[in-house]
Amino acid sequence: MQLETVNRDDAIIVTALMDRIDAVIAIQFKDDMREACENGPARVVLDLGSVQFIDSSGLGAIVATMKLLAPDQKLELAALTPTVDKVFRLTRMDSIFAIHTDANAAFADIAHVS
Amino acid sequence: MQTPHLPTLRMYPDHLTQLKHKAQAMPRQQNHASELHLTFPGTAIAVRKALADTLAALRFLDLSPEEAGTVELVLAEVMNNIVEHAFADNPDGMIELGITPMPNGLSCRLCDDGLPMPDGMVPLGGNPSLDCAVGDLPEGGFGWFLIRDLAHDLEYTRSSGKNRLTFRISVGHAHFEA
């Protein structure tokens, strides 16, 4: 599994270790996310700082993850790299997710959640 | 084109390198001679490799990270679409990708012998509505939206059992202005 998890406060931080979430691994990514978050805390912060590229399949996998975690768990995103950020902005998916500048920011200042 | 079991990407690096050197040695209006042509299996993993090879081959254009991201995204969406839809019933299909750097951007051509586009035309690709409950959020439908948003002069033709999609990605101007 190319995901690393750390529990912090009332949340689980899941760090994506792969450099891309594309059509090759989209389904695997969703399954791995489900497994990583199972029976975990209500807040899930997905750190995408290593992910340099995402396509619409990868975007779909992240949305699918959000849907399967709901309603008991909420998926938030952190550390979007430029191309990943662009995909979220263009599709307006940045309006659906709470997006933090990095994983620490997810805990530093809740008020700044966009 | 009838080598469907060929597992590796067929590329012509020597040819490319020659053209590239030629382009650098010649006046800059000749730079569009530095053409890229790839033929590869219509699978997700081959598309991933084709993207990496394409970006490596375009390095001489000195694209900014943002431009490179745009190129990778548009090509990924177009080629994923071929894999998922045109070759939905054919795991042995092959994709041909041609790119010609021009002063107004990358002139791109995609060709495959898979199923035609629905209704013989490129999907309209409106952005799916997000105004709904979390459980109803769309997980797909973003591909054509991104392509239409980021690519120009999109044209599709179907003839002799082949799909041919052409478009322009408006990047790489700096190379031609240098």
Side-chain angles (χ1 to χ4, degrees):
Chain A
M1 187 187 296
Q2 294 186 77
L3 299 175
E4 204 171 69
T5 59
V6 176
N7 284 293
R8 176 166 167 178
D9 301 340
D10 59 342
I12 180 173
I13 302 176
V14 183
T15 304
L17 303 174
M18 67 290 276
D19 67 352
R20 52 197 296 127
I21 305 177
D22 60 11
V24 176
I25 62 156
I27 292 170
Q28 184 68 49
F29 175 83
K30 185 178 75 170
D31 292 345
D32 288 350
M33 280 296 292
R34 187 211 312 260
E35 195 178 315
C37 301
E38 213 155 43
N39 304 319
R43 270 185 92 197
V44 176
V45 178
L46 174 60
D47 185 334
L48 293 170
S50 297
V51 179
Q52 302 300 318
F53 179 80
I54 190 167
D55 61 16
S56 62
S57 312
L59 178 68
I62 290 179
V63 175
T65 300
M66 180 192 224
K67 287 163 69 169
L68 59 88
L69 293 181
D72 298 331
Q73 292 172 294
K74 183 166 175 287
L75 181 63
E76 302 172 22
L77 308 177
L80 305 196
T81 60
T83 300
V84 175
D85 179 62
K86 181 177 189 156
V87 171
F88 274 84
R89 271 188 295 110
L90 290 175
T91 58
R92 292 189 294 112
M93 274 294 172
D94 60 345
S95 66
I96 299 299
F97 292 89
I99 299 178
H100 309 281
T101 49
D102 57 51
N104 280 329
F107 301 93
D109 190 353
I110 300 289
H112 281 185
V113 167
S114 59
Chain B
M1 269 307 293
Q2 293 307 315
T3 50
H5 299 291
L6 195 69
T8 52
L9 180 75
R10 282 190 291 141
M11 206 183 155
Y12 311 100
D14 294 341
H15 176 63
L16 243 184
T17 308
Q18 278 172 17
L19 286 171
K20 186 177 146 188
H21 289 156
K22 190 174 155 195
Q24 284 167 347
M26 292 173 75
R28 67 169 179 265
Q29 59 267 35
Q30 297 296 322
N31 275 9
H32 57 76
S34 49
E35 190 161 315
L36 170 72
H37 189 90
L38 301 179
T39 303
F40 50 94
T43 63
I45 196 83
V47 164
R48 183 192 268 185
K49 184 171 184 335
L51 288 170
D53 289 341
T54 299
L55 287 167
L58 295 176
R59 215 167 274 153
F60 75 98
L61 288 173
D62 289 325
L63 299 179
S64 69
E66 191 191 349
E67 287 183 319
T70 298
V71 171
E72 183 162 17
L73 188 53
V74 172
L75 293 178
E77 296 302 339
V78 169
M79 298 193 295
N80 286 344
N81 188 63
I82 294 172
V83 173
E84 287 168 29
H85 300 290
F87 291 139
D89 62 350
N90 178 11
D92 297 325
M94 298 291 285
I95 299 176
E96 289 176 57
L97 166 66
I99 300 180
T100 308
M102 304 282 279
N104 66 347
L106 300 180
S107 175
C108 305
R109 301 167 299 284
L110 262 304
C111 189
D112 67 79
D113 58 357
L115 300 171
M117 297 265 189
D119 305 321
M121 53 190 279
V122 179
L124 288 175
N127 200 24
S129 172
L130 307 182
D131 188 15
C132 56
V134 169
D136 296 326
L137 283 172
E139 294 171 32
F142 297 107
W144 280 109
F145 170 76
L146 290 169
I147 294 164
R148 285 195 177 274
D149 201 62
L150 297 170
H152 303 266
D153 309 336
L154 193 63
E155 283 182 33
Y156 169 72
T157 54
R158 172 85 182 180
S159 62
S160 311
K162 287 196 169 193
N163 296 310
R164 189 180 159 87
L165 191 71
T166 60
F167 52 91
R168 177 171 61 87
I169 307 174
S170 184
V171 299
H173 309 296
H175 174 75
F176 289 90
E177 285 156 12

